[in-house]
């Protein structure tokens, strides 16, 4: 900036100096000559008064005499141009002067002047000639000449003065300009730096206002602008945070797509639902959900501008049911318009619904068999079989067996529903493990004996007490050992209890092991579900309801324990209960 100003100022300065010099030189020259002319005219008039009346002898001495007084060269010339006297040269030797311009002019106008270069003196000379009309009617010319050396000197002096004054002015001007430009430069640099800071995100930076001029106003405006940007960005950030919090806390999965079905926005639940671990902004939705039904739903919504809700079954990333609601989304920027999708994972609900349906079907089915049997035999008896005493007793015994089955089914169902409803509260105490086992063994010993099976226990003597609900613990053992007896034809059932160390913690493991028919591998994972049986007919014949292990599972869970079943067909089954400390 300073360089530019310097060049401009210097050019202007040189032009001013040159024009000033030309103008002043000419003014001085003309003034000087005017003054000189006046002065010489006065002098010439005075000299003219002293010119002798008689002009016979040369007037050289007269001229010399007046030169001393006036310092001008003095020449007296006759009307015809002949030199009558001269202060500097002997007049006899001098040529006719009539052709001199000043003499010619004086001849016509009485006064004549000219400036000529004198080779002898090698300088410009000023000549002033006046015509003098003498008494004898003769005309002579008196010429005074002075070198113009002084005028040149005066002009040179003036030049030097102009140059000095101009240089001082220029220097002062440059210093002021330098100071001003430095000040402007500093402020501009500060503004540039501030804009850089703002661009890199440092919105707290501000400028210090030192000037009161336009730069001060500019600085003030920039500060206000930075403050406004900071405030607006802060507001945007707040808005973003609020939106993010809302999106994060919404349990439904949410996604916003544009009209080209590219992702604009999504929430945490959506990432979880589709097991995404990277940013998916701008990615095509089909790549993420891999479900053509979802894509078609959005396309439909964008086309019709109407909201749609649909249950969609998907296999990616896992088998699940989704309740998808798509709404049209309008944006100022048409490209960004598209649809908002909420996806609700209803897989669990669907499963529960299926379980409920299965349960109702199972219960109905389980009840129908004994009720049909009871009804059938009761009708037969009413139809006359009551009189056939032998058969009547057989029929009544069958009715009793079926009603007992119905009873135990209802008992088990009630127990199960009471556990599930939380009506059965555990009363955990330090109970005597041997006492509980012995009670169960006593209850089942006849059943085992009748099948020729043994009932053995192998308890670590160190284990005397466990923390459990006494009655519920007995029920757990009863159901498991009863199963062992039911599904074993040879051998028997052994109950073992010992301590094990798992992950630095001491557990008690209770294992009920039989030598029975075992459970085929493919059924193992489902054993324990309500009414799930390997062979339903066999179970029914053995008086089972298909709910025993479901009750056990619930009670184990209520105790905070764990249960697993290991089994091998034709070898036997192991039910393992892990009791945490
Ligand atoms: P239930 O015994 O009344 O049929 P459970 O819930 O007690 O009902 O058992 C469910 C099914 O698990 C049984 O029908 C049987 O197929 C299988 N099961 C349970 N315990 C054993 C066992 N110890 N040995 C072989 N199969 C068993």
């Amino acid at each position: 900036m300073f360089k530019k100003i310097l060049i401009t100022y210097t050019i202007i300065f040189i032009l001013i100096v040159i024009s000033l010099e030309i103008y002043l030189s000419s003014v001085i020259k003309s003034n000087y000559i005017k003054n000189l002319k006046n002065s010489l005219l006065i002098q010439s008039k005075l000299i003219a008064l002293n010119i002798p009346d008689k002009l016979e002898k040369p007037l050289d001495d007269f001229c010399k005499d007046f030169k001393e007084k006036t310092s001008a060269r003095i020449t007296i010339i006759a009307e015809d141009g002949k030199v009558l006297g001269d202060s500097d040269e002997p007049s006899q030797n001098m040529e006719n002067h009539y052709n001199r311009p000043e003499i010619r002019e004086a001849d016509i106008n009485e006064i004549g002047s000219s400036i000529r270069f004198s080779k002898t003196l090698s300088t410009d000379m000023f000549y002033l000639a006046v015509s003098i009309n003498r008494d004898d009617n003769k005309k002579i010319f008196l010429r005074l000449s002075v070198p113009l050396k002084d005028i040149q000197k005066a002009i040179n002096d003036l030049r030097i003065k102009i140059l000095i004054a101009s240089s001082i002015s220029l220097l002062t001007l440059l210093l002021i300009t330098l100071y001003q430009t430095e000040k402007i430069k500093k402020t501009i640099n500060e503004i540039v730096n501030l804009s850089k800071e703002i661009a890199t995100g440092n919105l707290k930076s501000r400028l210090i206002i030192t000037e009161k001029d336009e730069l001060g106003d500019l600085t003030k405006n920039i500060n206000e602008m930075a403050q406004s940007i900071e405030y607006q960005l802060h507001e945007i950030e707040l808005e973003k945070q609020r939106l993010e919090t809302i999106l994060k806390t919404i349990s439904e999965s949410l996604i916003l797509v544009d009209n080209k079905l590219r992702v604009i926005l999504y929430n945490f639940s959506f990432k979880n639902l589709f097991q995404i671990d990277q940013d998916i902004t701008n990615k095509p939705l089909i790549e993420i959900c891999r479900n053509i039904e979802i894509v078609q739903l959005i396309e439909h919504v964008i086309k019709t501008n109407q909201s749609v809700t649909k249950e969609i079954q998907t296999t990616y990333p896992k088998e699940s049911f989704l309740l998808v609601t798509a709404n049209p989304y309008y944006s100022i920027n048409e490209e960004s318009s598209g649809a908002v999708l909420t996806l609700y994972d209803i897989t669990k609900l669907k499963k529960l619904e299926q379980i409920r349906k299965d349960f109702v079907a199972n219960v109905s089915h389980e009840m129908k068999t004994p009720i049909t049997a009871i009804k059938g035999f009761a009708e037969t008896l009413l139809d006359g079989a009551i009189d056939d005493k032998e058969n009547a007793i057989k029929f009544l015994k069958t009715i009793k067996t079926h009603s007992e089955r119905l009873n135990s089914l209802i008992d088990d169902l009630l127990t199960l529903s009471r556990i599930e409803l939380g009506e059965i509260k555990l009363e955990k105490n330090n109970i005597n493990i041997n006492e509980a086992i012995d009670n169960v063994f006593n209850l089942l010993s006849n059943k085992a004996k009748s099948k020729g099976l043994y009932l053995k226990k192998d308890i670590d003597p160190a284990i005397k007490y466990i923390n459990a609900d006494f009655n519920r613990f007995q029920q757990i053992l009863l159901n498991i050992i009863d199963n062992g007896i039911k599904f074993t034809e040879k051998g028997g059932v052994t109950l073992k209890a010992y301590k094990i160390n798992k992950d630095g913690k001491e557990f008690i493991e209770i294992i009920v092991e039989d030598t029975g028919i075992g459970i085929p591998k493919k059924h193992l994972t489902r054993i324990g579900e309500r009414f799930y049986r390997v062979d339903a007919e066999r179970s029914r014949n053995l008086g089972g309801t298909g709910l025993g292990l479901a009750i056990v599972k619930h009670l184990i869970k209520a105790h905070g324990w764990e249960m697993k079943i290991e089994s091998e067909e034709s070898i036997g089954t192991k039910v393992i209960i892990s009791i945490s400390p």
Side-chain angles (χ1 to χ4, degrees), residues 411-429:
D411 274 352
D412 280 357
L413 276 173
L414 278 175
T415 313
L416 207 56
S417 82
R418 283 174 66 202
I419 297 171
E420 281 179 353
L421 287 170
E423 281 176 14
I424 291 179
K425 293 264 175 311
L426 294 189
E427 278 179 39
K428 282 172 99 175
N429 289 307

Side-chain angles (χ1 to χ4, degrees), residues 369-370 373-374 377 398-407:
T369 319
I374 292 167
F377 285 112
T398 316
I399 288 174
K400 188 176 172 262
T401 316
H402 281 290
S403 41
E404 273 168 356
R405 261 201 63 201
L406 207 54
N407 194 39

